[in-house]
Amino acid sequence: MTDGEQYYSMETNKLIGDFYGMKNCSFYVRKHERLDNASSVIVRDTLTTLNEVDKNKIISIHDKQYGKHEKDSSAYSLWYTWKTVNGEVELRISHKIGFDVYYTDTTELAVRKAIREEYEKEWERQTVREISGIPFGSSYEKTEEILQNKYGISSFLSDKTRIVYDNKSYAGIFFDTIMFLFQSDGYRSYLNGCVFIMEATSLSDANNKRERLYKKLSLKYDMKEGVDDNGNKYYYGGHSPIPFDGFGFCIDIIKYDNRPSIPYAARLMYGRYNYVKEEF
């Protein structure tokens, strides 16, 4: 790139010139990294707000060249779009920061579509949908039925907000406690979380068990890490089954204050996901 703005995955050259009589517009000639030739041009003027005469002139010229435009709008911008067999043209007029014109050929449009499909497929792969064969969002009654068939009668600690099992193995790992958590809107219940606990006799033991969980889940999910207030590492990853509801799970260490023989535990926690929307 010789000058100007950076564009992700694009090689870009910036030029300055006139655009239908408007002086000192910026021209960004771009080539996508997956392509061999220039695939789009952006004409930008962040200083000039198009008056009706200039706007109608540009629209008329493009209508003659590319056919009738489509129009869309938001609180801040207007869009005029032309779709052709060779690509797409979009004029965006901002009410405050000038205008842009995007000229994009079919090769770049195809690459964008492929990238979007790849992203959506990967997002779906990283999304947590179920646990122990039970889809998140399932009712308490349905979850209880499946768990009783699989694990038998639950712990006496169970109630209408959780179903608890002690000393069970899951995915080849032994857990001291597994809790299935529920949310209710007053009419229906939703499985909205699950907690797996591995008790530990020391911080070192808890660290080792946390790392075992991390290695197991990292085979399927991309994860990030952080450090909690006690200086212990934790991991988080995946996506909630509810769109825009955050990450899917967390792996961390719990410290118990009143259990000297078992002072720590490694915890894998899914959720809690918010199925009940409460708004004013």
Side-chain angles (χ1 to χ4, degrees):
M1 178 175 171
T2 58
D3 189 16
E5 300 182 20
Q6 298 284 349
Y7 292 94
Y8 180 71
S9 300
M10 309 290 285
E11 296 179 15
T12 307
N13 287 327
K14 180 182 178 182
L15 305 171
I16 301 296
D18 297 346
F19 183 72
Y20 295 111
M22 287 168 280
K23 304 292 185 181
N24 297 317
C25 294
S26 299
F27 292 74
Y28 298 94
V29 182
R30 311 190 307 172
K31 182 186 82 66
H32 197 279
E33 64 182 8
R34 297 192 184 186
L35 298 172
D36 296 326
N37 300 308
S39 54
S40 59
V41 176
I42 299 176
V43 183
R44 172 165 296 165
D45 189 336
T46 59
L47 301 177
T48 300
T49 300
L50 283 176
N51 58 44
E52 282 298 308
V53 173
D54 288 335
K55 183 188 77 171
N56 290 335
K57 179 175 71 173
I58 293 173
I59 292 173
S60 176
I61 292 172
H62 284 71
D63 277 347
K64 290 178 181 178
Q65 185 170 357
Y66 301 113
K68 183 63 177 176
H69 63 270
E70 299 174 6
K71 183 180 178 180
D72 200 358
S73 64
S74 71
Y76 304 102
S77 301
L78 288 171
W79 288 272
Y80 298 87
T81 304
W82 294 264
K83 296 181 180 180
T84 76
V85 294
N86 297 316
E88 185 174 288
V89 179
E90 182 180 69
L91 167 63
R92 181 179 68 89
I93 303 173
S94 171
H95 301 322
K96 294 184 178 181
I97 56 171
F99 69 90
D100 307 88
V101 186
Y102 295 79
Y103 298 89
T104 309
D105 73 12
T106 53
T107 61
E108 185 173 316
L109 293 175
V111 167
R112 288 185 193 175
K113 180 181 178 182
I115 291 174
R116 184 169 60 252
E117 290 173 349
E118 292 168 7
Y119 175 82
E120 291 172 351
K121 183 177 180 180
E122 180 61 16
W123 184 275
E124 178 61 27
R125 188 183 72 82
Q126 295 282 326
T127 298
V128 177
R129 296 294 182 189
E130 62 180 30
I131 196 69
S132 194
I134 308 169
F136 282 107
S138 297
S139 68
Y140 182 98
E141 293 75 19
K142 183 62 175 179
T143 303
E144 182 181 45
E145 177 186 355
I146 295 172
L147 290 175
Q148 285 187 358
N149 290 335
K150 183 172 184 176
Y151 293 128
I153 301 300
S154 61
S155 166
F156 71 94
L157 294 173
S158 300
D159 56 29
K160 285 299 181 181
T161 66
R162 62 184 183 177
I163 298 174
V164 183
Y165 285 93
D166 297 321
N167 304 319
K168 298 295 182 182
S169 292
Y170 182 78
I173 299 177
F174 175 82
F175 293 96
D176 295 279
T177 304
I178 304 176
M179 291 186 289
F180 298 83
L181 308 174
F182 296 87
Q183 183 182 40
S184 174
D185 58 9
Y187 297 95
R188 188 186 186 282
S189 55
Y190 304 86
L191 175 63
N192 78 325
C194 188
V195 182
F196 295 82
I197 301 292
M198 301 172 71
E199 296 177 349
T201 56
S202 66
L203 180 57
S204 176
D205 185 25
N207 284 332
N208 289 336
K209 289 177 177 178
R210 178 201 60 209
E211 292 303 305
R212 183 181 179 191
L213 290 171
Y214 165 75
K215 290 178 181 178
K216 187 76 171 180
L217 273 81
S218 65
L219 296 175
K220 181 176 181 180
Y221 296 102
D222 296 332
M223 282 187 272
K224 298 180 180 179
E225 65 179 63
V227 178
D228 66 20
D229 293 340
N230 295 315
N232 296 317
K233 184 188 297 185
Y234 64 88
Y235 301 98
Y236 59 99
H239 305 301
S240 167
I242 300 174
F244 312 112
D245 193 42
F247 59 85
F249 60 87
C250 179
I251 304 170
D252 62 2
I253 290 176
I254 305 170
K255 185 178 187 304
Y256 298 116
D257 292 329
N258 301 313
R259 297 175 60 180
S261 62
I262 308 175
Y264 294 96
R267 175 177 64 178
L268 165 60
M269 182 168 183
Y270 292 87
R272 292 188 167 190
Y273 312 124
N274 188 25
Y275 285 93
V276 177
K277 304 298 183 182
E278 297 178 333
E279 299 178 347
F280 290 105

